[in-house]
Amino acid sequence: LAATAAGLVSFDSCRGSYWNGLDPISSEERSKLRSMVEKTHRSGRMVRFWGAPDLESVWREWLPAGADLPNPDKLADLQRVLLELEPKH
């Protein structure tokens, strides 16, 4: 854990991960990601990743895994991805 605040855990996305966001994520990396998010949520905290590639492929893994704060520089691109991932009613 890089930093912990009252209701937030901030993870360095490069630490302990070998996925670069360009190649497909391995099942081991996906499982590790989901486990980190689930454990953090069980403690009642939100998840934020920092230092990650600013890529759609990264957001498309993090958001369904439950990451709360993706922290992008490309806000319009993130908005498009969020709208695409939003459940259709």
Side-chain angles (χ1 to χ4, degrees):
L1 305 181
T4 306
L8 175 70
V9 176
S10 187
F11 294 101
D12 177 350
S13 64
C14 299
R15 190 176 182 139
S17 176
Y18 300 102
W19 182 53
N20 61 12
L22 299 173
D23 301 316
I25 190 170
S26 70
S27 58
E28 180 182 344
E29 289 288 326
R30 182 177 286 124
S31 178
K32 190 180 345 179
L33 166 69
R34 291 180 184 270
S35 177
M36 286 171 44
V37 171
E38 289 170 7
K39 183 177 178 182
T40 304
H41 284 169
R42 278 196 306 270
S43 73
R45 295 185 173 142
M46 292 176 30
V47 175
R48 173 185 175 264
F49 289 102
W50 59 273
D54 208 15
L55 300 170
E56 285 188 33
S57 58
V58 173
W59 308 327
R60 290 182 186 280
E61 287 294 336
W62 286 359
L63 295 168
D68 301 293
L69 303 168
N71 199 34
D73 292 325
K74 301 174 183 174
L75 296 176
D77 290 345
L78 176 63
Q79 179 183 28
R80 185 176 35 75
V81 170
L82 287 168
L83 291 171
E84 289 173 9
L85 293 175
E86 186 175 89
K88 309 296 185 242
H89 301 286

